[in-house]
Every structure is written in C-alpha cells, then in structure tokens.
Amino acid sequence: MDQTETMEHRQYSDADFSGGDLTGGIYIKCTFRACDFQDCILEGCRFTDWVFHLCEFGGSIFRRCEMTNCTFRLCSFFSAEFRDCKLLGSSFSECSTIGLLLQGGNWSYTVLRFIDFSKGDLSGINFQGADLTGCDFTSANLSGCSLRQAVVHQAVFRKADLRGAD
C-alpha cells in the first residue's frame, strides 16, 4: 500500500504489510483476512468500513487515524498503540489486547467488550456511548474521560481513578 493513496473495495488474504509506513491514505470498504500489520506506522489515515479478521497488529502505532465503522475480529494488538485516534462506531470482537496503549482520542460508540484495560492510562479519552461490557478497569486512570451513555454492564472499576470523568 502506497502512502497518500486512496484504496477502495479491495480484499487481501495472508498478505504481509509488516513494517510498513502508511501516512495520510484514504481507505474505504476493504477486507483483510489473516494479514500481518506488525510494526506498522499508520499516521493521519482515514479508514471507513474496513473488516480485519485474524490480523496481527503487534507493535503497530496508529497516530491521528480516523477509523469509522471498522470491524476487528480475532485480531492481535500485542503492544500496539493508538494515539489521538478517532474510532467512531468501530468494533473489537474477541481480540487479544495485551499491552495495548490508548492515548487520547475519541472512541465514541465503539464496541470494546471484555477488554482488559487494568492499570492503563486512559485519561481524557472519549468513550461516550461505547460498549464497555465486561471491561476490566482495575487501577486504571480514567480521569477526565467521558463515559456518558456508555454501557458498563459487568465492567470492573476497582481502584480506578475516575476524577473529573463524566
């Protein structure tokens, strides 16, 4: 995938994009199955209606990306980072998120069920309307977060810092 390109309606299976640098591209309605995105840098990209199934994102860094209505199913985000990203209406289903780092951004109306955010610094993130069912926020920093209309059924907030959160 070239930088600053527009990609639409493509399907990939078992492709290797590891170590790639995707900057400023626009990507619409693409499907990726069992693809390797490990150690990728994704900056300022816009993704709309993407489907990722069984993909590896270990060590990848997402900066100021916009991911609208994207689906991540059975993906691995080992030590991946999302910095100041917007993930409006996206869904993470049965994903491995060990070491996942979220820093700032807008995660409104995103499905993040049963993700372990324990001890994480999630300060200032907008989780408005997000589905946080069963998430573990034990000892997490949620100061300044918006949790308005978020679904927090069975979520654990033991020793979480909720100062300034709404």
Side-chain angles (χ1 to χ4, degrees):
M1 292 189 288
D2 297 324
Q3 295 180 356
T4 66
E5 72 175 311
T6 297
M7 178 190 300
E8 295 185 58
H9 304 285
R10 295 192 189 168
Q11 295 187 9
Y12 294 90
S13 185
D14 298 310
D16 185 358
F17 301 101
S18 61
D21 184 350
L22 306 174
T23 302
I26 299 171
Y27 309 104
I28 302 168
K29 293 186 180 182
C30 297
T31 301
F32 292 83
R33 180 173 178 73
C35 293
D36 187 351
F37 289 92
Q38 293 185 84
D39 300 316
C40 280
I41 302 293
L42 300 103
E43 186 161 359
C45 298
R46 290 189 342 214
F47 302 90
T48 304
D49 297 321
W50 272 41
V51 175
F52 298 94
H53 184 76
L54 291 166
C55 293
E56 297 284 335
F57 291 94
S60 291
I61 300 172
F62 298 81
R63 283 189 212 112
R64 296 178 299 285
C65 290
E66 182 178 314
M67 305 178 94
T68 306
N69 297 323
C70 293
T71 300
F72 298 90
R73 187 164 190 280
L74 295 167
C75 294
S76 174
F77 290 93
F78 180 76
S79 294
E81 301 177 12
F82 285 86
R83 298 180 180 272
D84 299 315
C85 292
K86 179 178 181 180
L87 281 95
L88 185 63
S90 292
S91 173
F92 291 75
S93 174
E94 300 177 80
C95 293
S96 173
T97 57
I98 296 169
L100 177 65
L101 172 70
L102 306 184
Q103 186 177 51
N106 186 345
W107 293 70
S108 295
Y109 304 100
T110 298
V111 177
L112 298 164
R113 293 179 179 176
F114 300 101
I115 292 180
D116 183 355
F117 291 113
S118 60
K119 299 181 184 174
D121 184 356
L122 307 169
S123 58
I125 294 176
N126 183 356
F127 288 115
Q128 181 174 336
D131 186 347
L132 304 173
T133 298
C135 288
D136 186 354
F137 295 103
T138 301
S139 299
N141 180 1
L142 293 160
S143 61
C145 285
S146 175
L147 296 166
R148 288 183 182 200
Q149 301 174 339
V151 177
V152 293
H153 179 68
Q154 297 179 337
V156 178
F157 291 93
R158 186 176 32 260
K159 296 183 181 179
D161 182 352
L162 292 162
R163 289 179 286 176
D166 64 342

